[in-house]
Amino acid sequence: MRLIVAMTGATGAIYGIRLLEVLKEKGLETHLILSRWAEETIKMETSWTVEAVRKLAAAFYCEDDLGAALASGSFRHQGMIIVPCSMKTLASIAHGLAINLISRAADVTLKEGRKLILVPRETPLNAIHLENMLRLARLGAVILPPMPAFYHHPRSLQDLVDHLIGRILDQLDIEHGLYQRWPGAALAREEKS
């Protein structure tokens, strides 16, 4: 399986990093695009170096490389994930503005009918954000905001991050054991008592 992973400058760099770690552990081929602001966010929010994040992927591309293979529909892949996804990137995709390799690769992913997963990071959301997400959802993109769940009784920040990564993997039909699935209300009550 070949996947494109893009990271923008929105907060939540750890989501993109953890996704890359898990995909590498599973032996999947990843092609990484980092925006300039994603690189800054990695430095500000994590103990990771940009170089170490790049090494998690099979291939790395700069956001300005519009001549990259990823910019063409002939580059075959099974999905693209933008995590975290800034509202600027989301808006540029929603309106067909291929301003950099991230938005161009996303545009091509939609054009070719492939899975596009966006993990938007902003709160609160204004009407423009919501309309752009609705537009993309209607075009077939999966809008997967990083909203924590608590039914699996997370004990750490890592548990919350892994839950989101598991939900992304679910969208791609990739098996994982990153979180305990919802057992159903009856079983959840039994486990509690």
Side-chain angles (χ1 to χ4, degrees):
M1 181 178 251
R2 177 192 276 178
L3 298 166
I4 299 172
V5 176
M7 295 174 64
T8 70
T11 188
I14 194 61
Y15 294 124
I17 294 167
R18 182 65 178 139
L19 177 63
L20 289 165
E21 283 182 312
V22 171
L23 294 174
K24 185 173 185 169
E25 288 167 9
K26 294 190 163 295
L28 302 177
E29 180 183 336
T30 54
H31 292 255
L32 174 63
I33 312 167
L34 289 177
S35 74
R36 279 185 296 280
W37 281 107
E39 293 180 0
E40 292 303 316
T41 304
I42 289 166
K43 292 178 211 172
M44 285 188 283
E45 292 184 351
T46 76
S47 59
W48 285 77
T49 65
V50 172
E51 189 58 35
V53 173
R54 289 178 182 169
K55 287 181 180 176
L56 291 172
F60 167 74
Y61 307 83
C62 295
E63 71 175 320
D64 295 328
D65 188 3
L66 286 169
L70 310 184
S72 171
S74 65
F75 181 81
R76 301 199 46 145
H77 63 87
Q78 287 68 52
M80 178 175 183
I81 310 100
I82 304 177
V83 54
C85 182
S86 68
M87 288 300 139
K88 174 185 171 185
T89 298
L90 192 134
S92 69
I93 298 164
H95 295 279
L97 302 174
I99 58 174
N100 60 30
L101 185 57
I102 295 172
S103 55
R104 172 61 186 165
D107 182 70
V108 168
T109 298
L110 287 173
K111 173 179 80 75
E112 297 294 325
R114 297 183 184 127
K115 179 81 79 166
L116 176 62
I117 301 169
L118 305 173
V119 182
R121 256 301 308 132
E122 186 65 71
T123 195
L125 299 168
N126 67 36
I128 296 168
H129 303 149
L130 294 167
E131 287 174 4
N132 285 336
M133 285 187 239
L134 178 60
R135 182 181 190 131
L136 286 166
R138 286 181 173 153
L139 293 170
V142 174
I143 309 298
L144 204 156
M147 296 179 178
F150 297 95
Y151 61 82
H152 63 295
H153 302 283
R155 292 192 171 103
S156 67
L157 183 58
Q158 185 68 46
D159 289 345
L160 293 173
V161 170
D162 280 352
H163 182 265
L164 179 79
I165 301 311
R167 299 295 293 167
I168 293 170
L169 297 180
D170 288 348
Q171 287 294 314
L172 297 164
D173 292 323
I174 298 172
E175 288 297 320
H176 66 86
L178 292 173
Y179 67 90
Q180 182 180 350
R181 296 186 182 283
W182 173 244
L187 286 176
R189 280 191 297 272
E190 282 178 28
E191 288 176 4
K192 207 170 180 188
S193 53

